[in-house]
Amino acid sequence: MGISRGWRRLLFFLPLILIPLLLSVSELHQNSNLKDLGKNHHKKFDHLFLGPATGQGLPNRLQCQGLKALNKTHFTTSSLTFNFTDNISFVTVFAIYNISLFAHADDKSSAMVTVGNTSYTKAGRSMAILNVFINFVQVSMPRSNIIILSDPASELPIHRNNVSVLPIEGDYSRGRLMLQRIKSYIAFLETRYKEHSKTNNHSNHYIFTDSDVAVVDDLGYIFHHYPNFHLAVTFRNNKDQPLNSGFIAVRGTPDGILKAKRFLQEVLEVYSSKYMKASRMLGDQLALAWVVKSHPSFDAKRFTRPEAFLHEIHGALVLFLPCAVYNWTPPEGAGQFHGMPLDVKVVHFKGSRKRLMLESWNNFNSSSSDFSDMLCLVLKSGRTKYDF
Ligand SMILES: *[C@@H]1O[C@H](CO)[C@@H](O)[C@H](O)[C@H]1NC(C)=O
Ligand SMILES: *[C@@H]1O[C@H](CO)[C@@H](O)[C@H](O)[C@H]1NC(C)=O
Ligand SMILES: *[C@@H]1O[C@H](CO)[C@@H](O)[C@H](O)[C@H]1NC(C)=O
Ligand SMILES: *[C@@H]1O[C@H](CO)[C@@H](O)[C@H](O)[C@H]1NC(C)=O
Ligand SMILES: *[C@@H]1O[C@H](CO)[C@@H](O)[C@H](O)[C@H]1NC(C)=O
Ligand SMILES: *[C@@H]1O[C@H](CO)[C@@H](O)[C@H](O)[C@H]1NC(C)=O
Ligand SMILES: *[C@@H]1O[C@H](CO)[C@@H](O)[C@H](O)[C@H]1NC(C)=O
């Protein structure tokens, strides 16, 4: 209830806030397209649109000159430096609905969008996002694997090295997807736990993410740098939604897998009993926050500073990682925004930013193959609403 009221208030204020913002964008950016701005500001752009880069002049924030980065976002945490040998698998839930991947000119439901030289149908867009997610992971962490949890009924047309599709029974319909996602994570951890106790001693860590993220650094680092956690989640300084469910890392030891599974079961229980009305979008995040904040010894003030910390919740050692680095996304609307940290490792193309994810990959792949320059593009365009 509180949320929908909050949203209504936000929507009411949004136009008032956005007008000056867009004006300053047009003043500041020489490449800005005045034609776009003259129309209405609710417009979703069908091409790259750049605003100013925030955080200029601040220490430890990416400095950009045009689309050229003045700092290198560094790779000091790379597994090549530390000789990590751990295996890491990315795990994502992906469902494709009953829509043709192929466009028919006479089919109104297949409204096409074009990025670069490629046109996509609605389903084609989702597949493109998934493929770009895979591209980024394979550039940043070439020794990792990707596991896609999916509806057994859907046949995903994915044929990539080191990528496997794992069917898990469930209800993957649009309205139930966030609920199903936690259930699929739990089912997955269950099978891994059984396998683990059967076979061996080597560890395979898991990183559960949304598929609309770009991994731009080696995440193996966290398992070494923070040797004790069972699972890791990302937090931000947001009173109502301090935790984002788009990134969950699980240490691949029997203990880690078991504790993470139990923790997620707790979240699922809270989700099912308290937040089913929000099941379409935010239920899992609200349930995650509830489980953490209702733990007696937990102090929510920890969320106000963007520094990693460890806390035990229901027997699991949970590592809290700042979204600013591990789940970077610019705030919507007029929220404060202080640029991009130089050590950013994961960029999240939430909501209507997904076109930018494809544009970013094209930028990276076509010219510089330089993440720093690409991140200038993301920084300048991250608040634009796109047509994806
Ligand atoms: C980033 O680049 C700017 C401009 O060259 C420079 O002044 C700043 O010291 C650099 N920051 C870091 C942390 O290297
Ligand atoms: C990593 O391995 C390389 C080659 O095997 C070696 O030269 C280097 O010293 C190692 N680095 C560390 C931090 O152990
Ligand atoms: C689109 O096609 C043109 C002409 O073939 C080519 O020069 C350009 O690089 C392509 N752009 C992208 C983003 O692939
Ligand atoms: C990725 O795929 C290539 C080619 O099939 C294979 O040689 C390599 O071992 C795979 N890497 C991992 C981490 O599975
Ligand atoms: C796993 O490996 C550790 C050391 O690497 C060893 O102490 C332990 O006994 C092993 N456990 C099993 C079940 O093999
Ligand atoms: C990684 O996986 C391979 C193949 O499954 C295994 O042989 C190796 O021991 C694993 N590495 C570690 C550190 O567990
Ligand atoms: C990157 O660009 C090259 C052409 O410059 C193209 O052949 C290749 O398929 C692209 N890679 C991906 C993963 O899109």
Side-chain angles (χ1 to χ4, degrees):
M1 285 293 116
I3 284 170
S4 69
R5 212 179 316 125
W7 269 107
R8 223 172 294 139
R9 207 179 307 139
L10 185 64
L11 288 175
F12 177 75
F13 279 115
L14 215 48
L16 301 179
I17 296 163
L18 275 182
I19 292 165
L21 180 74
L22 286 177
L23 288 178
S24 68
V25 165
S26 74
E27 281 157 17
L28 286 172
H29 200 268
Q30 53 188 18
N31 294 339
S32 69
N33 190 335
L34 289 169
K35 184 184 65 180
D36 292 329
L37 292 167
K39 289 185 196 159
N40 81 56
H41 42 260
H42 296 296
K43 182 181 163 75
K44 292 192 164 184
F45 289 86
D46 64 359
H47 57 269
L48 260 184
F49 179 78
L50 304 174
T54 55
Q56 301 307 288
L58 296 178
N60 300 319
R61 289 294 190 280
L62 181 63
Q63 307 294 303
C64 303
Q65 197 160 66
L67 290 181
K68 204 86 199 131
L70 298 178
N71 310 100
K72 291 297 158 203
T73 51
H74 29 263
F75 283 79
T76 50
T77 57
S78 150
S79 57
L80 298 176
T81 318
F82 288 91
N83 295 339
F84 300 150
T85 53
D86 304 26
N87 299 307
I88 294 184
S89 298
F90 284 84
V91 184
T92 192
V93 165
F94 187 85
I96 201 153
Y97 303 99
N98 199 11
I99 313 167
S100 168
L101 284 176
F102 306 100
H104 301 287
D106 54 345
D107 180 359
K108 268 202 286 188
S109 70
S110 65
M112 304 286 286
V113 297
T114 302
V115 182
N117 290 339
T118 314
S119 291
Y120 300 98
T121 60
K122 216 162 176 13
R125 263 173 261 180
S126 303
M127 288 306 300
I129 298 282
L130 182 63
N131 270 303
V132 167
F133 164 73
I134 294 168
N135 295 348
F136 277 118
V137 166
Q138 294 190 337
V139 168
S140 299
M141 299 174 63
R143 291 188 300 177
S144 63
N145 289 295
I146 295 166
I147 300 166
I148 301 166
L149 310 182
S150 191
D151 189 344
S154 80
E155 282 174 29
L156 286 183
I158 284 277
H159 307 284
R160 304 275 304 258
N161 284 337
N162 307 321
V163 177
S164 54
V165 177
L166 184 66
I168 291 186
E169 292 290 344
D171 176 358
Y172 291 79
S173 59
R174 225 176 257 275
R176 312 275 293 184
L177 193 57
M178 299 322 273
L179 186 67
Q180 182 56 43
R181 181 165 79 159
I182 295 200
K183 291 181 176 173
S184 297
Y185 286 179
I186 291 168
F188 174 80
L189 288 172
E190 207 146 277
T191 63
R192 293 299 137 143
Y193 182 70
K194 282 188 191 135
E195 256 164 49
H196 211 294
S197 41
K198 236 187 353 222
T199 51
N200 59 55
N201 211 2
H202 45 74
S203 61
N204 191 334
H205 305 305
Y206 300 103
I207 300 178
F208 297 86
T209 68
D210 290 350
S211 51
D212 57 351
V213 304
V215 176
V216 295
D217 202 352
D218 194 323
L219 298 173
Y221 165 82
I222 60 176
F223 296 99
H224 280 250
H225 191 70
Y226 306 100
N228 298 320
F229 73 89
H230 295 122
L231 79 157
V233 296
T234 55
F235 74 92
R236 58 201 164 197
N237 186 12
N238 176 318
K239 195 162 162 290
D240 296 321
Q241 292 169 52
L243 298 168
N244 182 271
S245 55
F247 181 102
I248 301 174
V250 174
R251 185 177 300 280
T253 57
D255 216 26
I257 295 172
L258 192 64
K259 299 262 172 74
K261 193 192 83 160
R262 288 196 185 135
F263 180 89
L264 290 180
Q265 277 168 328
E266 184 84 23
V267 173
L268 176 62
E269 225 159 84
V270 171
Y271 192 163
S272 306
S273 63
K274 284 186 189 295
Y275 296 111
M276 277 312 283
K277 280 196 191 127
S279 70
R280 197 181 156 95
M281 281 298 292
L282 297 169
D284 60 337
Q285 291 187 176
L286 297 173
L288 183 58
W290 195 90
V291 167
V292 169
K293 291 208 299 196
S294 68
H295 198 266
S297 66
F298 191 81
D299 179 4
K301 281 208 188 74
R302 301 297 295 261
F303 292 144
T304 57
R305 270 177 304 140
E307 284 157 26
F309 64 96
L310 198 65
H311 199 81
E312 187 181 324
I313 311 274
H314 298 300
L317 276 171
V318 182
L319 173 65
F320 293 86
L321 295 166
C323 280
V325 175
Y326 292 90
N327 199 340
W328 189 89
T329 199
E332 304 267 7
Q336 288 203 328
F337 178 29
H338 302 297
M340 184 184 274
L342 283 171
D343 56 350
V344 64
K345 298 184 197 315
V346 179
V347 174
H348 196 162
F349 295 90
K350 268 184 217 155
S352 69
R353 297 184 184 86
K354 297 189 196 344
R355 164 183 287 274
L356 181 58
M357 182 170 175
L358 268 49
E359 298 274 12
S360 300
W361 172 260
N362 286 348
N363 171 281
F364 174 79
N365 187 40
S366 66
S367 53
S368 56
S369 289
D370 184 323
F371 275 140
S372 312
D373 290 346
M374 184 197 85
L375 290 172
C376 279
L377 176 69
V378 174
L379 177 60
K380 290 184 140 197
S381 193
R383 297 182 103 176
T384 307
K385 285 192 179 303
Y386 287 110
D387 56 343
F388 252 48

